[in-house]
Amino acid sequence: MVLRTDWTETGFGTRAIHAGQEPDPVTGAIMTPIYQSSTYVQASPGDFKGYEYSRTSNPTREALEGNLAGLEEARYARALASGCAGATAIMGALSAGDHVLCGDDVYGGTFRLMDKVFANLGVEFSFVDQTNLDAVRAALRPETKLCWIETPTNPTLKIADIAGIATLCREAQVTSVVDNTFATPYLQSPLALGADLVVHSTTKYLGGHSDVVGGAVVTNDEAWIERVQFVLNSMGLNPGPQDCFLTLRGTKTLHVRMDRHVRNAQAVAHYLEAHDQVSKVIYPGLPSHPQYELAQRQMRGPGGMISFHIRGGLPAARRFLEAVEVFSLAESLGGVESLIEHPAIMTHASVPPETREALGIADDFIRISVGIEDERDLIDDLAQALATAEHA
Ligand code: P1T
């Protein structure tokens, strides 16, 4: 066979399986080995085979990075210890006095990192509703260095116009960053839409099996990847080789899993929207979603995340969440198993109560990560849990 190394012209599934990986040159092993080594022997000081120390680089990590770049059709990627480490690697390149313009609904841990860590170091943050391009334009300042876009947002699933915001940012010489965790590169291509950087929690759909925590930064910008590598290496944000191996095993089936996540989520969203116990469903694949048209245009599918409001407030929400059997009550998302959670008490507890209230992250608000189990079993489970919530 011919050893192929360039997968850029191939389809998504082919890239997911092959990009970044070659058979092991020593043994022919088809899977990149887990190079569980902290250091590498040098023949003479400074004479080494590309690797010096595993905080800086590691062959298993490099295979994952090549794969992640392939998925986003980008030139460069860095794998990191978590999604939060990815955000840290980007914001770690800023200086006191720089300003970051962020969406008003982001993962609670991303908000905490900005509000409780980088703000203390003198970086300034403001949070605006990025579904409104005029609000984004008005919030840009001369000191703005980054525009942080999460779309769809966690947990209210708002959709920001990536191309529109990226254009505003380019005019203002601001770097635009898209957290592509919820959509994944299978459903959304922020770099092709004009964004400068993509950040991921690979813990979620990319890993896909709820067995590893990881993150990534992906870009075509050489200066930015050098900054990210510098901060990664300086702050020690690197992932371990075993974790990289697991993430790489996950990415190979991303396209197959995402098709099923989307199909199941569509069915669950329609079921919930028709249910008397549910006052509102938020899913980018429903025409009732405020940015439905934008989602149809910008994404290749509406994803596997659904949020909804249950009638009966916190008591009903608690009864419902205690009654589920197929869905697991847990933080996180994007694994093969369906997860369900209460953002106000769980994932978004670090967001100030007044912000949560303004966004609708109230006591009756529930978030679902629809897994790839059988659709019938998921809907039956929601039906019995909603009945329990109503009748208790
Ligand atoms: O957990 P970590 O790998 O560090 O990723 C942080 C992160 C970043 N961006 C988004 C959009 C995320 O959803 C997350 C993590 N989110 C959860 C753990 C959650 O349950 O929402």
Side-chain angles (χ1 to χ4, degrees):
M1 66 170 286
V2 177
L3 192 64
R4 180 168 175 168
T5 53
D6 181 1
W7 300 94
T8 48
E9 297 300 318
T10 61
F12 189 93
T14 307
R15 276 181 279 126
I17 291 166
H18 294 289
Q21 300 148 87
E22 292 165 24
D24 178 48
V26 178
T27 63
I30 195 159
M31 290 304 302
T32 304
I34 302 168
Y35 283 89
Q36 196 74 51
S37 186
S38 60
T39 192
Y40 306 84
V41 175
Q42 308 196 8
S44 171
D47 177 7
F48 54 90
K49 297 177 172 147
Y51 305 96
E52 291 169 277
Y53 187 59
S54 277
R55 173 162 31 75
T56 312
S57 62
N58 171 283
T60 316
R61 189 166 112 210
E62 262 184 18
L64 172 61
E65 291 171 344
N67 187 255
L68 293 167
L71 292 179
E72 293 283 5
E73 297 188 77
R75 290 170 67 195
Y76 312 107
R78 284 295 178 275
L80 297 108
S82 66
C84 286
T88 301
I90 296 170
M91 286 188 268
L94 300 175
S95 305
D98 288 347
H99 171 247
V100 178
L101 177 55
C102 183
D104 61 358
D105 181 38
V106 288
Y107 168 56
T110 304
F111 175 78
R112 181 176 56 205
L113 182 63
M114 294 175 174
D115 186 53
K116 295 279 189 293
V117 179
F118 282 99
N120 287 343
L121 301 176
V123 179
E124 291 180 25
F125 295 91
S126 50
F127 300 90
V128 296
D129 179 2
Q130 292 180 338
T131 64
N132 180 344
L133 278 183
D134 291 333
V136 174
R137 188 184 291 108
L140 289 168
R141 303 182 195 164
E143 327 69 78
T144 308
K145 289 287 181 334
L146 279 185
C147 182
W148 197 275
I149 307 160
E150 193 179 282
T151 182
T153 65
N154 181 359
T156 66
L157 303 173
K158 293 199 276 189
I159 310 285
D161 178 352
I162 297 173
I165 298 179
T167 302
L168 290 179
C169 287
R170 211 169 310 113
E171 284 163 11
Q173 297 188 320
V174 170
T175 299
S176 52
V177 186
V178 173
D179 185 329
N180 206 23
T181 300
F182 271 33
T184 82
Y186 183 61
L187 299 178
Q188 180 167 277
S189 302
L191 300 178
L193 292 166
D196 298 308
L197 299 174
V198 165
V199 61
H200 278 285
S201 169
T202 58
T203 316
K204 310 301 177 329
Y205 291 104
L206 297 189
H209 296 76
S210 306
D211 54 6
V212 59
V213 171
V217 177
V218 191
T219 184
N220 288 315
D221 187 322
E222 192 178 353
W224 257 110
I225 210 66
E226 281 173 10
R227 273 176 224 143
V228 164
Q229 171 67 25
F230 179 81
V231 178
L232 182 163
N233 192 40
S234 304
M235 295 180 88
L237 305 175
N238 55 292
Q242 169 97 21
D243 287 355
C244 292
F245 178 89
L246 285 172
T247 306
L248 196 47
R249 186 164 69 163
T251 57
K252 287 178 191 290
T253 54
L254 179 65
H255 49 302
V256 183
R257 288 183 284 109
M258 287 316 291
D259 281 340
R260 184 66 172 259
H261 282 294
V262 171
R263 202 176 85 201
N264 281 355
Q266 283 280 7
V268 168
H270 280 117
Y271 171 78
L272 289 173
E273 197 164 51
H275 201 288
D276 288 346
Q277 282 292 101
V278 174
S279 57
K280 185 178 172 194
V281 180
I282 308 170
Y283 181 60
L286 291 176
S288 58
H289 189 285
Q291 293 92 40
Y292 174 73
E293 264 89 41
L294 174 59
Q296 295 278 308
R297 207 166 61 236
Q298 176 165 281
M299 302 174 73
R300 292 179 287 273
M305 299 299 296
I306 301 172
S307 293
F308 70 98
H309 295 264
I310 189 168
R311 290 191 202 283
L314 187 57
R318 270 197 191 281
R319 285 195 299 271
F320 171 73
L321 293 170
E322 286 165 4
V324 289
E325 293 173 3
V326 180
F327 284 82
S328 298
L329 176 60
E331 299 196 9
S332 201
L333 57 115
V336 289
E337 59 289 287
S338 292
L339 300 181
I340 194 158
E341 66 115 6
H342 192 276
I345 297 175
M346 297 169 68
T347 50
H348 290 70
S350 56
V351 175
E354 57 281 8
T355 310
R356 286 204 304 261
E357 200 183 310
L359 291 167
I361 309 172
D363 284 346
D364 64 349
F365 185 75
I366 291 168
R367 189 190 77 182
I368 292 181
S369 169
V370 182
I372 62 170
E373 298 95 337
D374 288 281
E375 177 188 314
R376 191 69 261 152
D377 296 322
L378 297 178
I379 289 177
D380 285 352
D381 192 37
L382 294 173
Q384 67 78 21
L386 284 165
T388 304
E390 185 180 13
H391 295 126

